[in-house]
Structure formats: C-alpha cells, structure tokens
PDB file of all heavy atoms in Angstrom:
ATOM      1  N   GLY A   1      67.906 116.420  75.968  1.00 98.00           N
ATOM      2  CA  GLY A   1      69.039 115.573  76.372  1.00 98.00           C
ATOM      3  C   GLY A   1      69.976 116.170  77.355  1.00 98.00           C
ATOM      4  O   GLY A   1      70.963 115.639  77.721  1.00 98.00           O
ATOM      5  N   THR A   2      69.785 117.444  77.619  1.00 98.00           N
ATOM      6  CA  THR A   2      70.723 118.156  78.513  1.00 98.00           C
ATOM      7  C   THR A   2      70.035 118.673  79.748  1.00 98.00           C
ATOM      8  O   THR A   2      70.547 118.254  80.890  1.00 98.00           O
ATOM      9  CB  THR A   2      71.178 119.505  77.742  1.00 98.00           C
ATOM     10  OG1 THR A   2      71.947 119.037  76.544  1.00 98.00           O
ATOM     11  CG2 THR A   2      72.168 120.265  78.748  1.00 98.00           C
ATOM     12  N   ILE A   3      68.925 119.315  79.696  1.00 98.00           N
ATOM     13  CA  ILE A   3      68.131 119.602  80.910  1.00 98.00           C
ATOM     14  C   ILE A   3      66.744 119.055  80.813  1.00 98.00           C
ATOM     15  O   ILE A   3      65.937 119.098  81.778  1.00 98.00           O
ATOM     16  CB  ILE A   3      68.133 121.159  81.276  1.00 98.00           C
ATOM     17  CG1 ILE A   3      67.490 121.931  80.295  1.00 98.00           C
ATOM     18  CG2 ILE A   3      69.422 121.533  81.732  1.00 98.00           C
ATOM     19  CD1 ILE A   3      67.285 123.343  80.769  1.00 98.00           C
ATOM     20  N   VAL A   4      66.205 118.762  79.627  1.00 98.00           N
ATOM     21  CA  VAL A   4      64.920 118.141  79.255  1.00 98.00           C
ATOM     22  C   VAL A   4      65.125 116.677  78.858  1.00 98.00           C
ATOM     23  O   VAL A   4      65.865 116.270  77.827  1.00 98.00           O
ATOM     24  CB  VAL A   4      64.255 118.901  78.214  1.00 98.00           C
ATOM     25  CG1 VAL A   4      62.926 118.364  77.909  1.00 98.00           C
ATOM     26  CG2 VAL A   4      64.162 120.519  78.512  1.00 98.00           C
ATOM     27  N   ASP A   5      64.508 115.720  79.562  1.00 98.00           N
ATOM     28  CA  ASP A   5      64.607 114.348  79.191  1.00 98.00           C
ATOM     29  C   ASP A   5      63.642 113.978  77.902  1.00 98.00           C
ATOM     30  O   ASP A   5      62.790 113.018  78.115  1.00 98.00           O
ATOM     31  CB  ASP A   5      64.250 113.416  80.363  1.00 98.00           C
ATOM     32  CG  ASP A   5      64.635 112.042  80.219  1.00 98.00           C
ATOM     33  OD1 ASP A   5      65.330 111.745  79.182  1.00 98.00           O
ATOM     34  OD2 ASP A   5      64.224 111.195  81.014  1.00 98.00           O
ATOM     35  N   LEU A   6      63.824 114.579  76.903  1.00 98.00           N
ATOM     36  CA  LEU A   6      63.034 114.316  75.671  1.00 98.00           C
ATOM     37  C   LEU A   6      63.117 112.841  75.360  1.00 98.00           C
ATOM     38  O   LEU A   6      62.097 112.111  74.992  1.00 98.00           O
ATOM     39  CB  LEU A   6      63.443 115.107  74.501  1.00 98.00           C
ATOM     40  CG  LEU A   6      62.781 114.770  73.105  1.00 98.00           C
ATOM     41  CD1 LEU A   6      61.333 115.288  73.143  1.00 98.00           C
ATOM     42  CD2 LEU A   6      63.494 115.338  71.924  1.00 98.00           C
ATOM     43  N   TYR A   7      64.270 112.162  75.390  1.00 97.00           N
ATOM     44  CA  TYR A   7      64.454 110.782  74.971  1.00 97.00           C
ATOM     45  C   TYR A   7      64.047 109.846  75.953  1.00 97.00           C
ATOM     46  O   TYR A   7      63.931 108.615  75.536  1.00 97.00           O
ATOM     47  CB  TYR A   7      66.005 110.601  74.639  1.00 97.00           C
ATOM     48  CG  TYR A   7      66.520 111.791  73.693  1.00 97.00           C
ATOM     49  CD1 TYR A   7      67.527 112.633  74.279  1.00 97.00           C
ATOM     50  CD2 TYR A   7      65.972 112.023  72.583  1.00 97.00           C
ATOM     51  CE1 TYR A   7      67.939 113.560  73.488  1.00 97.00           C
ATOM     52  CE2 TYR A   7      66.556 113.045  71.714  1.00 97.00           C
ATOM     53  CZ  TYR A   7      67.521 113.795  72.200  1.00 97.00           C
ATOM     54  OH  TYR A   7      67.934 114.913  71.402  1.00 97.00           O
ATOM     55  N   GLY A   8      63.415 110.237  77.108  1.00 98.00           N
ATOM     56  CA  GLY A   8      62.908 109.404  78.070  1.00 98.00           C
ATOM     57  C   GLY A   8      61.393 109.313  77.903  1.00 98.00           C
ATOM     58  O   GLY A   8      60.748 108.529  78.622  1.00 98.00           O
ATOM     59  N   VAL A   9      60.787 110.080  76.937  1.00 98.00           N
ATOM     60  CA  VAL A   9      59.471 110.122  76.659  1.00 98.00           C
ATOM     61  C   VAL A   9      59.114 108.869  75.878  1.00 98.00           C
ATOM     62  O   VAL A   9      59.648 108.723  74.859  1.00 98.00           O
ATOM     63  CB  VAL A   9      58.899 111.340  75.965  1.00 98.00           C
ATOM     64  CG1 VAL A   9      57.508 111.291  75.633  1.00 98.00           C
ATOM     65  CG2 VAL A   9      59.182 112.626  76.784  1.00 98.00           C
ATOM     66  N   GLU A  10      58.125 108.079  76.385  1.00 98.00           N
ATOM     67  CA  GLU A  10      57.753 106.934  75.670  1.00 98.00           C
ATOM     68  C   GLU A  10      57.341 107.287  74.185  1.00 98.00           C
ATOM     69  O   GLU A  10      56.486 108.182  74.037  1.00 98.00           O
ATOM     70  CB  GLU A  10      56.601 106.127  76.406  1.00 98.00           C
ATOM     71  CG  GLU A  10      56.217 104.853  75.823  1.00 98.00           C
ATOM     72  CD  GLU A  10      55.257 104.033  76.741  1.00 98.00           C
ATOM     73  OE1 GLU A  10      54.972 104.426  77.891  1.00 98.00           O
ATOM     74  OE2 GLU A  10      54.625 103.117  76.061  1.00 98.00           O
ATOM     75  N   ASN A  11      57.852 106.526  73.295  1.00 98.00           N
ATOM     76  CA  ASN A  11      57.502 106.671  71.842  1.00 98.00           C
ATOM     77  C   ASN A  11      57.878 108.008  71.304  1.00 98.00           C
ATOM     78  O   ASN A  11      57.255 108.523  70.407  1.00 98.00           O
ATOM     79  CB  ASN A  11      56.047 106.247  71.669  1.00 98.00           C
ATOM     80  CG  ASN A  11      55.689 104.971  71.916  1.00 98.00           C
ATOM     81  OD1 ASN A  11      56.357 103.999  71.585  1.00 98.00           O
ATOM     82  ND2 ASN A  11      54.553 104.793  72.570  1.00 98.00           N
ATOM     83  N   TRP A  12      58.936 108.733  71.871  1.00 97.00           N
ATOM     84  CA  TRP A  12      59.201 110.050  71.402  1.00 97.00           C
ATOM     85  C   TRP A  12      59.503 110.206  70.042  1.00 97.00           C
ATOM     86  O   TRP A  12      58.965 111.145  69.336  1.00 97.00           O
ATOM     87  CB  TRP A  12      60.390 110.607  72.397  1.00 97.00           C
ATOM     88  CG  TRP A  12      61.792 110.026  72.110  1.00 97.00           C
ATOM     89  CD1 TRP A  12      62.135 108.828  72.703  1.00 97.00           C
ATOM     90  CD2 TRP A  12      62.656 110.356  71.055  1.00 97.00           C
ATOM     91  NE1 TRP A  12      63.411 108.571  72.153  1.00 97.00           N
ATOM     92  CE2 TRP A  12      63.669 109.448  71.194  1.00 97.00           C
ATOM     93  CE3 TRP A  12      62.776 111.442  70.147  1.00 97.00           C
ATOM     94  CZ2 TRP A  12      64.915 109.625  70.342  1.00 97.00           C
ATOM     95  CZ3 TRP A  12      63.870 111.493  69.452  1.00 97.00           C
ATOM     96  CH2 TRP A  12      64.901 110.615  69.486  1.00 97.00           C
ATOM     97  N   LEU A  13      60.299 109.195  69.470  1.00 96.00           N
ATOM     98  CA  LEU A  13      60.665 109.367  68.089  1.00 96.00           C
ATOM     99  C   LEU A  13      59.515 109.134  67.131  1.00 96.00           C
ATOM    100  O   LEU A  13      59.379 109.932  66.170  1.00 96.00           O
ATOM    101  CB  LEU A  13      61.774 108.376  67.735  1.00 96.00           C
ATOM    102  CG  LEU A  13      62.426 108.486  66.207  1.00 96.00           C
ATOM    103  CD1 LEU A  13      62.934 109.813  66.140  1.00 96.00           C
ATOM    104  CD2 LEU A  13      63.504 107.364  66.201  1.00 96.00           C
ATOM    105  N   SER A  14      58.638 108.163  67.405  1.00 96.00           N
ATOM    106  CA  SER A  14      57.510 107.953  66.463  1.00 96.00           C
ATOM    107  C   SER A  14      56.541 109.167  66.567  1.00 96.00           C
ATOM    108  O   SER A  14      55.939 109.549  65.518  1.00 96.00           O
ATOM    109  CB  SER A  14      56.853 106.723  66.792  1.00 96.00           C
ATOM    110  OG  SER A  14      56.268 106.624  68.044  1.00 96.00           O
ATOM    111  N   LEU A  15      56.516 109.830  67.710  1.00 97.00           N
ATOM    112  CA  LEU A  15      55.600 110.905  67.946  1.00 97.00           C
ATOM    113  C   LEU A  15      56.047 112.073  67.047  1.00 97.00           C
ATOM    114  O   LEU A  15      55.372 112.889  66.321  1.00 97.00           O
ATOM    115  CB  LEU A  15      55.479 111.306  69.308  1.00 97.00           C
ATOM    116  CG  LEU A  15      54.548 110.357  70.178  1.00 97.00           C
ATOM    117  CD1 LEU A  15      54.739 110.636  71.644  1.00 97.00           C
ATOM    118  CD2 LEU A  15      53.010 110.524  69.719  1.00 97.00           C
ATOM    119  N   LEU A  16      57.525 112.289  67.164  1.00 96.00           N
ATOM    120  CA  LEU A  16      58.149 113.412  66.390  1.00 96.00           C
ATOM    121  C   LEU A  16      57.994 113.213  64.930  1.00 96.00           C
ATOM    122  O   LEU A  16      57.749 114.179  64.223  1.00 96.00           O
ATOM    123  CB  LEU A  16      59.467 113.654  66.769  1.00 96.00           C
ATOM    124  CG  LEU A  16      59.766 113.930  68.271  1.00 96.00           C
ATOM    125  CD1 LEU A  16      61.314 114.464  68.463  1.00 96.00           C
ATOM    126  CD2 LEU A  16      59.018 115.020  68.755  1.00 96.00           C
ATOM    127  N   ARG A  17      58.113 111.945  64.553  1.00 95.00           N
ATOM    128  CA  ARG A  17      58.021 111.790  63.062  1.00 95.00           C
ATOM    129  C   ARG A  17      56.496 111.856  62.475  1.00 95.00           C
ATOM    130  O   ARG A  17      56.357 112.148  61.424  1.00 95.00           O
ATOM    131  CB  ARG A  17      58.439 110.225  62.763  1.00 95.00           C
ATOM    132  CG  ARG A  17      60.086 110.110  62.954  1.00 95.00           C
ATOM    133  CD  ARG A  17      60.321 108.742  62.565  1.00 95.00           C
ATOM    134  NE  ARG A  17      61.917 108.743  62.533  1.00 95.00           N
ATOM    135  CZ  ARG A  17      62.596 107.575  62.655  1.00 95.00           C
ATOM    136  NH1 ARG A  17      61.992 106.438  62.826  1.00 95.00           N
ATOM    137  NH2 ARG A  17      63.992 107.560  62.690  1.00 95.00           N
ATOM    138  N   ALA A  18      55.671 111.853  63.527  1.00 96.00           N
ATOM    139  CA  ALA A  18      54.232 111.993  63.160  1.00 96.00           C
ATOM    140  C   ALA A  18      53.795 113.517  63.346  1.00 96.00           C
ATOM    141  O   ALA A  18      52.645 113.871  63.271  1.00 96.00           O
ATOM    142  CB  ALA A  18      53.237 111.185  63.978  1.00 96.00           C
ATOM    143  N   SER A  19      54.889 114.461  63.559  1.00 96.00           N
ATOM    144  CA  SER A  19      54.679 115.692  63.674  1.00 96.00           C
ATOM    145  C   SER A  19      53.759 116.151  64.895  1.00 96.00           C
ATOM    146  O   SER A  19      52.961 117.125  64.967  1.00 96.00           O
ATOM    147  CB  SER A  19      54.005 116.554  62.393  1.00 96.00           C
ATOM    148  OG  SER A  19      54.971 116.314  61.415  1.00 96.00           O
ATOM    149  N   ASP A  20      53.980 115.376  66.002  1.00 97.00           N
ATOM    150  CA  ASP A  20      53.305 115.558  67.252  1.00 97.00           C
ATOM    151  C   ASP A  20      54.374 116.219  68.208  1.00 97.00           C
ATOM    152  O   ASP A  20      55.298 115.554  68.587  1.00 97.00           O
ATOM    153  CB  ASP A  20      52.870 114.065  67.772  1.00 97.00           C
ATOM    154  CG  ASP A  20      52.014 114.428  69.049  1.00 97.00           C
ATOM    155  OD1 ASP A  20      52.052 115.405  69.803  1.00 97.00           O
ATOM    156  OD2 ASP A  20      51.297 113.396  69.412  1.00 97.00           O
ATOM    157  N   PRO A  21      54.053 117.409  68.696  1.00 97.00           N
ATOM    158  CA  PRO A  21      55.035 118.156  69.555  1.00 97.00           C
ATOM    159  C   PRO A  21      54.939 117.624  71.063  1.00 97.00           C
ATOM    160  O   PRO A  21      55.662 118.153  71.870  1.00 97.00           O
ATOM    161  CB  PRO A  21      54.690 119.587  69.409  1.00 97.00           C
ATOM    162  CG  PRO A  21      53.218 119.550  69.125  1.00 97.00           C
ATOM    163  CD  PRO A  21      52.934 118.289  68.215  1.00 97.00           C
ATOM    164  N   THR A  22      54.005 116.803  71.331  1.00 97.00           N
ATOM    165  CA  THR A  22      53.776 116.389  72.768  1.00 97.00           C
ATOM    166  C   THR A  22      54.990 115.999  73.477  1.00 97.00           C
ATOM    167  O   THR A  22      55.165 116.446  74.685  1.00 97.00           O
ATOM    168  CB  THR A  22      52.719 115.250  72.764  1.00 97.00           C
ATOM    169  OG1 THR A  22      51.405 115.685  72.114  1.00 97.00           O
ATOM    170  CG2 THR A  22      52.371 114.821  74.174  1.00 97.00           C
ATOM    171  N   PRO A  23      55.944 115.241  72.935  1.00 98.00           N
ATOM    172  CA  PRO A  23      57.183 114.954  73.784  1.00 98.00           C
ATOM    173  C   PRO A  23      57.857 116.218  74.228  1.00 98.00           C
ATOM    174  O   PRO A  23      58.377 116.132  75.438  1.00 98.00           O
ATOM    175  CB  PRO A  23      57.951 114.130  72.811  1.00 98.00           C
ATOM    176  CG  PRO A  23      57.039 113.546  71.912  1.00 98.00           C
ATOM    177  CD  PRO A  23      55.969 114.617  71.626  1.00 98.00           C
ATOM    178  N   TYR A  24      57.837 117.298  73.527  1.00 98.00           N
ATOM    179  CA  TYR A  24      58.577 118.507  73.896  1.00 98.00           C
ATOM    180  C   TYR A  24      57.812 119.072  75.259  1.00 98.00           C
ATOM    181  O   TYR A  24      58.488 119.815  76.026  1.00 98.00           O
ATOM    182  CB  TYR A  24      58.663 119.504  72.880  1.00 98.00           C
ATOM    183  CG  TYR A  24      59.554 118.988  71.631  1.00 98.00           C
ATOM    184  CD1 TYR A  24      58.920 118.660  70.514  1.00 98.00           C
ATOM    185  CD2 TYR A  24      60.929 118.962  71.854  1.00 98.00           C
ATOM    186  CE1 TYR A  24      59.814 118.151  69.425  1.00 98.00           C
ATOM    187  CE2 TYR A  24      61.743 118.474  70.792  1.00 98.00           C
ATOM    188  CZ  TYR A  24      61.116 118.214  69.594  1.00 98.00           C
ATOM    189  OH  TYR A  24      62.023 117.848  68.620  1.00 98.00           O
ATOM    190  N   SER A  25      56.527 118.777  75.267  1.00 97.00           N
ATOM    191  CA  SER A  25      55.750 119.408  76.380  1.00 97.00           C
ATOM    192  C   SER A  25      55.752 118.571  77.623  1.00 97.00           C
ATOM    193  O   SER A  25      55.777 119.130  78.792  1.00 97.00           O
ATOM    194  CB  SER A  25      54.301 119.606  75.909  1.00 97.00           C
ATOM    195  OG  SER A  25      54.185 120.407  74.861  1.00 97.00           O
ATOM    196  N   ILE A  26      55.779 117.234  77.535  1.00 98.00           N
ATOM    197  CA  ILE A  26      55.653 116.390  78.590  1.00 98.00           C
ATOM    198  C   ILE A  26      56.970 115.808  79.140  1.00 98.00           C
ATOM    199  O   ILE A  26      56.963 115.128  80.131  1.00 98.00           O
ATOM    200  CB  ILE A  26      54.638 115.207  78.317  1.00 98.00           C
ATOM    201  CG1 ILE A  26      55.218 114.199  77.247  1.00 98.00           C
ATOM    202  CG2 ILE A  26      53.300 115.746  77.849  1.00 98.00           C
ATOM    203  CD1 ILE A  26      54.424 113.037  77.156  1.00 98.00           C
ATOM    204  N   ALA A  27      58.024 116.157  78.511  1.00 98.00           N
ATOM    205  CA  ALA A  27      59.356 115.585  78.950  1.00 98.00           C
ATOM    206  C   ALA A  27      59.638 116.044  80.344  1.00 98.00           C
ATOM    207  O   ALA A  27      59.397 117.260  80.682  1.00 98.00           O
ATOM    208  CB  ALA A  27      60.468 116.039  78.016  1.00 98.00           C
ATOM    209  N   ALA A  28      60.125 115.147  81.097  1.00 98.00           N
ATOM    210  CA  ALA A  28      60.584 115.424  82.510  1.00 98.00           C
ATOM    211  C   ALA A  28      61.918 116.143  82.503  1.00 98.00           C
ATOM    212  O   ALA A  28      62.659 116.163  81.568  1.00 98.00           O
ATOM    213  CB  ALA A  28      60.731 114.175  83.306  1.00 98.00           C
ATOM    214  N   PRO A  29      62.065 116.828  83.528  1.00 98.00           N
ATOM    215  CA  PRO A  29      63.523 117.483  83.748  1.00 98.00           C
ATOM    216  C   PRO A  29      64.646 116.531  83.953  1.00 98.00           C
ATOM    217  O   PRO A  29      64.346 115.356  84.583  1.00 98.00           O
ATOM    218  CB  PRO A  29      63.298 118.409  84.991  1.00 98.00           C
ATOM    219  CG  PRO A  29      62.009 118.314  85.310  1.00 98.00           C
ATOM    220  CD  PRO A  29      61.361 117.163  84.662  1.00 98.00           C
ATOM    221  N   MET A  30      65.780 116.730  83.596  1.00 98.00           N
ATOM    222  CA  MET A  30      66.844 115.888  83.784  1.00 98.00           C
ATOM    223  C   MET A  30      67.777 116.299  84.970  1.00 98.00           C
ATOM    224  O   MET A  30      68.749 115.611  85.283  1.00 98.00           O
ATOM    225  CB  MET A  30      67.754 115.823  82.503  1.00 98.00           C
ATOM    226  CG  MET A  30      67.125 115.127  81.313  1.00 98.00           C
ATOM    227  SD  MET A  30      68.160 114.957  79.853  1.00 98.00           S
ATOM    228  CE  MET A  30      69.116 113.642  80.462  1.00 98.00           C
ATOM    229  N   VAL A  31      67.534 117.350  85.467  1.00 97.00           N
ATOM    230  CA  VAL A  31      68.412 118.015  86.616  1.00 97.00           C
ATOM    231  C   VAL A  31      67.367 118.604  87.531  1.00 97.00           C
ATOM    232  O   VAL A  31      66.160 118.734  87.340  1.00 97.00           O
ATOM    233  CB  VAL A  31      69.371 119.121  86.083  1.00 97.00           C
ATOM    234  CG1 VAL A  31      70.331 118.616  85.136  1.00 97.00           C
ATOM    235  CG2 VAL A  31      68.476 120.375  85.479  1.00 97.00           C
ATOM    236  N   ASN A  32      67.994 118.824  88.832  1.00 98.00           N
ATOM    237  CA  ASN A  32      67.165 119.445  89.820  1.00 98.00           C
ATOM    238  C   ASN A  32      66.945 120.881  89.444  1.00 98.00           C
ATOM    239  O   ASN A  32      67.911 121.749  89.488  1.00 98.00           O
ATOM    240  CB  ASN A  32      67.909 119.405  91.136  1.00 98.00           C
ATOM    241  CG  ASN A  32      67.144 120.079  92.291  1.00 98.00           C
ATOM    242  OD1 ASN A  32      66.664 121.209  92.221  1.00 98.00           O
ATOM    243  ND2 ASN A  32      67.227 119.381  93.397  1.00 98.00           N
ATOM    244  N   LEU A  33      65.729 121.248  89.030  1.00 98.00           N
ATOM    245  CA  LEU A  33      65.367 122.626  88.454  1.00 98.00           C
ATOM    246  C   LEU A  33      65.532 123.708  89.427  1.00 98.00           C
ATOM    247  O   LEU A  33      65.934 124.798  89.163  1.00 98.00           O
ATOM    248  CB  LEU A  33      64.205 122.550  87.705  1.00 98.00           C
ATOM    249  CG  LEU A  33      64.048 121.647  86.456  1.00 98.00           C
ATOM    250  CD1 LEU A  33      62.674 121.722  85.907  1.00 98.00           C
ATOM    251  CD2 LEU A  33      65.096 122.120  85.427  1.00 98.00           C
ATOM    252  N   SER A  34      65.222 123.464  90.719  1.00 97.00           N
ATOM    253  CA  SER A  34      65.168 124.496  91.759  1.00 97.00           C
ATOM    254  C   SER A  34      66.670 124.892  91.929  1.00 97.00           C
ATOM    255  O   SER A  34      67.014 126.102  92.096  1.00 97.00           O
ATOM    256  CB  SER A  34      64.561 124.166  93.055  1.00 97.00           C
ATOM    257  OG  SER A  34      64.944 123.047  93.636  1.00 97.00           O
ATOM    258  N   ARG A  35      67.482 123.854  91.982  1.00 98.00           N
ATOM    259  CA  ARG A  35      69.026 124.100  92.149  1.00 98.00           C
ATOM    260  C   ARG A  35      69.554 124.887  90.898  1.00 98.00           C
ATOM    261  O   ARG A  35      70.303 125.822  91.029  1.00 98.00           O
ATOM    262  CB  ARG A  35      69.680 122.824  92.362  1.00 98.00           C
ATOM    263  CG  ARG A  35      71.257 122.923  92.693  1.00 98.00           C
ATOM    264  CD  ARG A  35      71.830 121.524  92.928  1.00 98.00           C
ATOM    265  NE  ARG A  35      73.261 121.768  93.148  1.00 98.00           N
ATOM    266  CZ  ARG A  35      74.153 120.737  92.956  1.00 98.00           C
ATOM    267  NH1 ARG A  35      73.711 119.652  92.564  1.00 98.00           N
ATOM    268  NH2 ARG A  35      75.426 120.951  93.214  1.00 98.00           N
ATOM    269  N   LEU A  36      69.153 124.435  89.768  1.00 98.00           N
ATOM    270  CA  LEU A  36      69.662 125.133  88.529  1.00 98.00           C
ATOM    271  C   LEU A  36      69.164 126.635  88.414  1.00 98.00           C
ATOM    272  O   LEU A  36      69.826 127.448  88.208  1.00 98.00           O
ATOM    273  CB  LEU A  36      68.974 124.383  87.342  1.00 98.00           C
ATOM    274  CG  LEU A  36      69.416 124.931  85.962  1.00 98.00           C
ATOM    275  CD1 LEU A  36      70.872 124.921  85.690  1.00 98.00           C
ATOM    276  CD2 LEU A  36      68.692 124.262  84.851  1.00 98.00           C
TER     277      LEU A  36
END
C-alpha cells in the first residue's frame, strides 16, 4: 500500500486468507521505481 500495490491484486484478500503468497509476488509497483 506504500510502494507495492498489494491491494490492487485481484482477489488479494481471499488469496491471503487461503495462505497463498502470490499477491506479494505479483503486485505492481505504486511508484516510479527507477526514480525511487
């Protein structure tokens, strides 16, 4: 929610509740990473 768009991953909450770490891997950046 700060530099990683975890909450923008489709079905992120249900995946986390199912102990699936995929959202943490596939989340998009929330900021321009080269600038950061």
